[in-house]
Amino acid sequence: MFRKKGSLIVCGAFVFITWNAILVLFLRGREPGDPGRQQREAVPEGPTDDVLGEVLRMADTFGAELTRQKDILLQIQKHRSLWEPDRGEPDPPAPPPPVIPILVIACNRVTVRRCLDKLLQYRPSAQLHPIIVSQDCGHADTAQVIRSYGDQVMHLEQPDLSDVPVKPEHRKFQGYYKISRHYRWAMNQVFNNPAHSTVVIVEDDLEVAPDFFEYFRALLPVLRADPRLWCVSAWNDNGRSGWVDPGQAALLHRTDFFPGLGWMILRQLWEELEPKWPDAFWDDWMRQPEQRRDRACIRPEISRTLTFGRQGVSLGQFYDKYLRFIKLSSEFVPFTKLDLSYLQEDTYRDAFTREVYGSPLVTYEDVKLGRLQGHGPVRLQYSTKDSFKILAKNLGVMEDLKSGVPRTGYRGVVGFFSKGRRIYLAPPPGWSHYDPTWS
């Protein structure tokens, strides 16, 4: 409204001044022999016969008026801000969207095709999400599968295929040593050649969900902004069908347990970890207090990855009992459009603690026999390593601990969904730290 009013004022001033200028030019341009002038001379109009002088005096008057109008126009221009809103300095150009490469760790599985097909199917941009396949083992058939994708993926081959020198009692773990060596080499390639600022790591036996890329793009700024986070994972260790809330595909959690199986870290973390990277068992090493340093990861309620690799160096540990039943989200959640501020450390911890310890305390028999009242969350309490393991096993969640931290645990609490309600397996109120001897 103000802008429209200002435009009308300026336009009116311009028309008035232009009209006056035309009138002055008209009067000055008339010659003494002009017929109109002779006609006026025939009819005396005043006491003077110096018509030309009178016209010139009028022109001077109009000239002075034009000068005054010019001053008015300058004042109008000077005070434009009174009717036009201040737009301030122009907004700086938006920063370019971040590039998040996907590093696929491969070896001798030709089924890497299943992993790559899903990544390419759901990838929103080749420029923003380059797919880098790093292959160890020198397996020719697997290499041929990877090369068949042409320039859709970048194929790297680990140059050192030799056995890793190990103690005699660790010869059976040679595969774990090679995997750790490969991870170190591959991560250095991503962070140094070229120098990316972040990466998402997946193994060649993972299938991804439709919103896999959306999930990581939304959580990258959360990871960057919170020094109490050190990774984002697409995996829920207790994410079997029946143990997750099917109506909460958008729900995310903090966890003190490093989940792996589709995880994102920043370059700064790799610069911290790389100098002391272990010779073997890198994932358990990541879960030690010296590396975790009281930092958490983000995980989803419903997993965004699914493992289909029963065979491997771990000989299918946990696969038949847990991993093959993990529910893979089939719903696309627009995470980049959601408010994820609830994941900030202080906000999340306070809300989580209130919900857990504000829930009624029940026994395993209450849960087993269906003696629970209402529909809200309930809490079961453990106080020792053995009581945790017994309750976890009976409740159907993973009972193993790494450096004292249970899978999916946050502040000692394992939350899961069962028979239509949230259940918290929790230590007594006042929990302060994990006991690394609980393993």
Side-chain angles (χ1 to χ4, degrees), residues 373-416:
Q373 302 297 317
H375 302 283
V378 296
R379 172 169 52 101
L380 287 88
Q381 185 167 292
Y382 69 89
S383 55
T384 65
K385 178 180 71 172
D386 290 340
S387 63
F388 170 81
K389 287 179 170 290
I390 291 171
L391 283 170
K393 183 177 182 179
N394 289 336
L395 291 165
V397 296
M398 297 187 77
E399 70 250 34
D400 66 315
L401 303 107
K402 302 294 184 179
S403 296
V405 184
R407 292 181 184 267
T408 74
Y410 177 72
R411 298 184 63 81
V413 180
V414 173
F416 57 96

Side-chain angles (χ1 to χ4, degrees), residues 135-246:
Q135 185 191 0
D136 198 1
C137 307
H139 191 253
D141 290 343
T142 301
Q144 184 176 357
V145 169
I146 298 168
R147 293 192 192 105
S148 71
Y149 288 89
D151 60 4
Q152 294 184 91
V153 305
M154 179 187 298
H155 183 200
L156 305 178
E157 295 182 83
Q158 150 76 314
D160 187 358
L161 303 181
S162 64
D163 284 344
V164 180
V166 299
K167 298 176 182 180
E169 61 268 26
H170 274 205
R171 285 175 184 167
K172 63 180 178 179
F173 300 129
Q174 180 69 215
Y176 289 101
Y177 282 83
K178 289 186 175 182
I179 288 174
S180 190
R181 179 179 64 184
H182 182 203
Y183 263 85
R184 186 177 203 163
W185 180 85
M187 299 276 269
N188 278 329
Q189 301 310 302
V190 172
F191 283 122
N192 298 321
N193 302 305
H196 290 288
S197 62
T198 186
V199 68
V200 174
I201 304 99
V202 300
E203 286 79 18
D204 56 0
D205 61 346
L206 292 182
E207 179 180 333
V208 302
D211 57 2
F212 175 85
F213 294 94
E214 173 79 359
Y215 173 77
F216 284 109
R217 292 202 72 82
L219 287 164
L220 177 58
V222 178
L223 178 62
R224 283 176 169 167
D226 190 345
R228 298 295 302 276
L229 289 175
W230 71 323
C231 84
V232 175
S233 174
W235 179 258
N236 176 0
D237 276 294
N238 287 315
R240 291 185 296 162
S241 295
W243 275 259
V244 294
D245 188 344

Side-chain angles (χ1 to χ4, degrees), residues 102-166:
I102 311 300
L103 173 62
V104 180
I105 300 294
C107 182
N108 57 359
R109 290 188 178 108
V110 294
T111 51
V112 67
R113 182 179 297 280
R114 177 174 170 182
C115 171
L116 294 177
D117 283 348
K118 288 299 182 181
L119 285 170
L120 291 170
Q121 177 182 347
Y122 298 134
R123 180 171 66 171
S125 166
Q127 290 72 36
L128 297 181
H129 296 286
I131 296 174
I132 304 165
V133 185
S134 181
Q135 185 191 0
D136 198 1
C137 307
H139 191 253
D141 290 343
T142 301
Q144 184 176 357
V145 169
I146 298 168
R147 293 192 192 105
S148 71
Y149 288 89
D151 60 4
Q152 294 184 91
V153 305
M154 179 187 298
H155 183 200
L156 305 178
E157 295 182 83
Q158 150 76 314
D160 187 358
L161 303 181
S162 64
D163 284 344
V164 180
V166 299

